[in-house]
Every structure is written in structure tokens, then in C-alpha cells.
Amino acid sequence: QVQMVESGGGLMQAGGSLRLSCAASGRTFSFYEMGWFRQAPGKEREFVAAISESGQNTYYADSVKGRFTISRDNVKNTVYLQMNSLKPEDTAVYYCAAAAGYDALQRLFRGQSDYWGQGTQVTVSS
């Protein structure tokens, strides 16, 4: 089992930056593909970014491509989301997710995961 705790959310003005962290428990963190999702009020949860087990491959939603960067540290069991050039439409609760298996990335792209964090609020003011 993997337990994850997100941190780093907060209130930021448009154009600013934030870095989210997701610390995971367990010694098998490196077996999991990791992802970030977000859910704005009144909207469905949406995929933001994903990273492969080794960290070599990353994937982004078009809405954040070029502004957000996902990374991971398999020694610290942590995945990060660096968010630059923030926009008011980035306001949401951000969740990290972990999925394992041959179809893990495909499931993340579909919004499915084995484990979810509790979420951290990001609010971007105009």
C-alpha cells in the first residue's frame, strides 16, 4: 500500500510560481508511475501531468504544457510539480496519484489510479 501526502499549495498571484510536493510511504515507490490531477469547483477531476517510474518520460495536459514540470526523486519517495506562469484557471485542488502495472500510464491518462493523495489547494488570483 502507498500513502501519499501533498504539500506546497497556497495563494498566488497570476504569473507567479508554486512547487507542489507529494511524499509517498513505502519502499516500492519506484515501481509506480506517478501523476498529478486537479479538480476545480463544479468541474470534474482532470489529468495534469504524469511521470514514468524512472523519471525519464513525462506527459502533460495541453493546458499546462510549457508552464508546469513534473519530476520525481526515488530516493526521497517524492514527486514534484513545479508550476510557473500561473493563471486564475489553474485554481483547483491538486492531487497526486500512483499507479502500477503494464497499463499504469494509460490508466492515469484516463483518470484512474491505484492510490490518491488527500489534495492541496492552489488558488491563483488575477
Side-chain angles (χ1 to χ4, degrees):
Q1 185 150 352
V2 177
Q3 293 182 326
M4 298 177 292
V5 178
E6 300 97 333
S7 61
L11 175 63
M12 178 58 63
Q13 286 189 330
S17 298
L18 282 173
R19 188 176 82 155
L20 305 183
S21 299
C22 173
S25 64
R27 293 179 292 178
T28 58
F29 176 77
S30 61
F31 292 172
Y32 289 85
E33 318 280 0
M34 300 296 295
W36 284 97
F37 292 77
R38 66 187 182 187
Q39 186 167 20
K43 296 187 177 181
E44 293 188 352
R45 185 168 55 197
E46 64 174 356
F47 169 80
V48 174
I51 188 167
S52 61
E53 297 166 352
S54 66
Q56 284 190 324
N57 298 307
T58 56
Y59 310 85
Y60 299 93
D62 289 343
S63 58
V64 306
K65 201 171 294 182
R67 300 188 298 122
F68 290 10
T69 302
I70 188 172
S71 61
R72 66 189 296 164
D73 185 331
N74 285 346
V75 174
K76 295 182 178 179
N77 283 8
T78 302
V79 62
Y80 304 97
L81 185 68
Q82 178 66 43
M83 305 186 295
N84 298 330
S85 302
L86 283 163
K87 304 175 180 180
E89 51 264 43
D90 294 321
T91 295
V93 177
Y94 283 71
Y95 300 89
C96 63
Y102 72 96
D103 62 344
L105 276 174
Q106 295 305 315
R107 288 192 290 120
L108 285 175
F109 296 155
R110 294 197 301 267
Q112 301 167 356
S113 182
D114 298 326
Y115 301 102
W116 295 93
Q118 86 289 349
T120 186
Q121 177 71 47
V122 172
T123 302
V124 183
S125 62
S126 58

